[in-house]
Every structure is written in C-alpha cells, then in structure tokens.
Amino acid sequence: MTNGGTSPSDAAVLARGRRLLALAGDARGRDSAEEARTLALRAAADLERGVRLTGDAGTPSAVRCRALLDLAEARAVAAADSGATGVLEALHEAVEDVRDVSPDLRVLALRRLAEAHGARYRYTADPAELDAADRVFAQAQGLVQRDDPVRAELLAGRGEVLLARADGGGGLEVAAEAVRELRAALALTASGELRLAERQLLFGRALHRHHTAGGAATDLHEAEWILARAARGARADRTAALAWLERGEVLLTLAGATGAPEWLDLAAESYHHGVRSALRAGEPLLAAQAHHQRGAVLERTAGPVRALTSYRAAWELWQRAGAAQGPQARSTFERMTALGATT
C-alpha cells in the first residue's frame, strides 16, 4: 500500500484524474468551455473509479474524502454547475467520510457542501437550498476556533446565504443575522485581502436590507460609507460597478427619508461611476441599469434633456446585450419616448 493507505493502482487512477482535472481548470481559464468539459468528464470517470477502489480497499477515510472532493469539482466543471446533483452527492459522502477523523478536512467538505447548496439555489430558487446552506455553514463554524483564518470565509459565506434569505422575504431577524455575520467577517479580513471589497459590498447590502426590513436610519449611513469604500477599493471592475449601483440605491433611500437634495446629486454621481466600472468590466447589462437609474435621478435634478441622454445610452446598451425585451429595458424605452416627445 502507498499514499497513506492506497494501493499503487488506486493512487495511479486518482493521480490521473487529478491531472485531468487540473487540465480542465486550465482550459476554463482560457475560456475553452468544451475542452474543459471533455477533460472534466474524463477526470470524473477516473475519480469515480478511484473512489470505488479506495472504498473496496478500506483506505483511510481522509484519503477517500479528498478523492470525493476532487470528484465533486470534476462533476461541477463537466456540468458547468457547481450545484449539480452529482456534486452534492459527492460532497455529502465526503462530509460523512471524515466525521470523526479530520476536523480541518471536515470543515473544508462542509464549506464546499454549503457553497454547492447556495449554487443550487441560484439555479432552482428553492428556499430549502438556502436553509441547507445555512445549516451546513453553521456546522462548519462550530468546528473552527475563533482565531482560525478560515473562520472569516465561513462567516462571509453564511452571511451571503442569510442575505439571500433576507432578499427572499426573510424579515428583520434574518437581515439582522446577516449583518452580524458579515460584520464579523469584515473584522477578520485584513486590509490587503483580495476579497475585502466583495465582503464590504455584501455587508453594505445587508445593512440596506436590514433598514428596509424595519431597521434604524443609521443602517443607511453605514451602508453608504462601506459601499463607497468597496467601490473605490475593488480590484475587480464588476465588484466596483455593483457597489456603485448599490450605493446609488442607498443614497436614493436617504434622499427620500431626509428630503435633502444633495443625496440625489450623490446618487447620480454614484450611478455615473457605476456605468464606467461596468463598461470596463465588459458588463453591458450592469451599465444599462446604471444609466437608467442615473436618468431617473437626473429627471428630478437636472431636467429632461440630461435625463434623456442617459436613457438613450441605457437603451443602446440593452439592445447590445440582447435584453431589449426585458421589463427594465421597456421602462427605459418608455421614459426615453416620453421625454423625447417633450424636448
């Protein structure tokens, strides 16, 4: 036996599967989707065989768990769906295999399982998937020390799930829990962390949802502040665009709550930054949304001529993205037509 309990043939099969999986990942990085799928299918076949062999040979459960984690990844790449049924099956089995063996490996398997349930929710919109993701993230958190570096990832992951539950009508209590989890995740995130801006964006959204669900006015001011930091500090233009758009919504809410016109000016500026970031990211749909929202603000602050310019830009982007028949695009067209008849 070699490799911590696997036979030479077992190890060879698993090694080949992992090599194919690495090649599939490389193909994905080159945007070669069909090549990635073909390689991932071959990897999954080897890894499935490897998992069967390790089970028959009585291999240590930690070894088998790692093989199952790799199998789950191969199936996700092959299906182009990290929440596919086969992915969840492999991850559930991986979690069970290391129940009493390796806490660190069990945490990894639980985190992957929770993320898979979250991915499945994005595809199915079944709230039960969010409930499952929440439970699994909570299980993983219970296995890590407060100073463990992975704790921030688990807090952020669970906070994102709770935010999705709040968006689905979870109410004040769920929104408050999302705020708590994401605040704790940010407290554990270093200033140079690559995911800092993404977590700031999630936290800002959670604060906004908490206010909407009945929270305090201070939620909005804190949300505006953290979203501005996320937008300005984001390394990815798409993250920046999302933060600018979310900040624009918060500023509009502040304008409605206070009646102060300066919030509207700041909202128009935020949407303008959102347009630029979205275009740099190659995201015409986001840019169209930002242009439309900016047009709506300019109607109130700068008059129909400037608003019409923004609506026309939005309409052009909706068409470019092939989304001209959607409800947002129709709203843009209606405003553009109405203002065009009066200018």
Side-chain angles (χ1 to χ4, degrees), residues 1 6 10-11 23 27 34 50 72 80 86 89 102 145 184 187 205 225 235 238 246-247 256 278 298-299 313 316 322:
M1 304 290 278
T6 57
D10 302 347
L23 291 172
E34 190 54 39
E89 289 173 351
S102 170
Q145 300 297 318
R205 281 178 173 164
W225 178 78
R235 302 188 187 193
R238 186 175 190 277
E246 188 74 35
R247 179 174 177 262
L298 291 175
E299 277 196 72
E316 181 182 337

Side-chain angles (χ1 to χ4, degrees), residues 90-126:
L91 292 172
H92 275 290
E93 197 171 346
V95 167
E96 290 304 312
D97 266 16
V98 287
R99 177 174 293 278
D100 301 312
V101 178
S102 170
D104 289 346
L105 195 53
R106 182 167 167 79
V107 167
L108 173 60
L110 285 167
R111 177 169 64 83
R112 291 273 302 276
L113 178 58
E115 291 168 350
H117 277 296
R120 192 169 181 84
Y121 168 76
R122 289 190 288 274
Y123 181 77
T124 65
D126 182 356

Side-chain angles (χ1 to χ4, degrees), residues 9-264:
S9 59
D10 302 347
V13 170
L14 290 173
R16 185 173 62 190
R18 285 167 176 144
R19 176 59 179 161
L20 288 166
L21 180 57
L23 291 172
D26 178 70
R28 288 180 74 192
R30 292 184 280 103
D31 292 327
S32 299
E34 190 54 39
E35 180 185 356
R37 180 176 179 276
T38 300
L39 288 165
L41 285 169
R42 291 173 58 194
D46 275 348
L47 291 165
E48 285 167 6
R49 183 182 171 211
V51 166
R52 286 196 301 272
L53 288 170
T54 55
D56 294 341
T59 304
S61 57
V63 174
R64 192 165 185 273
C65 176
R66 291 188 180 93
L68 284 162
L69 292 175
D70 290 333
L71 174 58
E73 184 178 352
R75 287 175 173 175
V77 175
D81 178 8
S82 55
T85 300
V87 175
L88 286 164
E89 289 173 351
L91 292 172
H92 275 290
E93 197 171 346
V95 167
E96 290 304 312
D97 266 16
V98 287
R99 177 174 293 278
D100 301 312
V101 178
S102 170
D104 289 346
L105 195 53
R106 182 167 167 79
V107 167
L108 173 60
L110 285 167
R111 177 169 64 83
R112 291 273 302 276
L113 178 58
E115 291 168 350
H117 277 296
R120 192 169 181 84
Y121 168 76
R122 289 190 288 274
Y123 181 77
T124 65
D126 182 356
E129 298 296 343
L130 288 180
D131 294 339
D134 190 3
R135 287 195 305 272
V136 177
F137 269 125
Q139 287 178 48
Q141 285 181 21
L143 295 174
V144 299
Q145 300 297 318
R146 298 191 67 82
D147 58 351
D148 191 319
V150 80
R151 188 169 182 80
E153 294 181 23
L154 297 174
L155 287 164
R158 184 165 185 247
E160 187 171 8
V161 167
L162 289 164
L163 179 56
R165 288 181 60 194
D167 282 337
L172 183 62
E173 184 177 345
V174 172
E177 196 169 1
V179 169
R180 284 194 296 272
E181 293 287 291
L182 290 165
R183 190 187 297 279
L186 274 180
L188 295 174
T189 304
S191 58
E193 165 66 55
L194 289 174
R195 288 158 292 187
L196 175 62
E198 294 175 11
R199 291 174 185 174
Q200 289 172 329
L201 169 59
L202 288 172
F203 182 49
R205 281 178 173 164
L207 287 164
H208 191 190
R209 302 307 181 271
H210 187 252
H211 175 269
T212 301
T218 53
D219 289 334
L220 293 176
H221 294 280
E222 188 176 7
E224 189 276 325
W225 178 78
I226 199 68
L227 289 166
R229 293 193 67 182
R232 295 188 177 106
R235 302 188 187 193
D237 287 319
R238 186 175 190 277
T239 301
L242 290 169
W244 286 123
L245 264 68
E246 188 74 35
R247 179 174 177 262
E249 290 185 32
V250 169
L251 289 163
L252 287 179
T253 306
L254 280 166
T258 65
E262 58 266 25
W263 295 120
L264 291 175

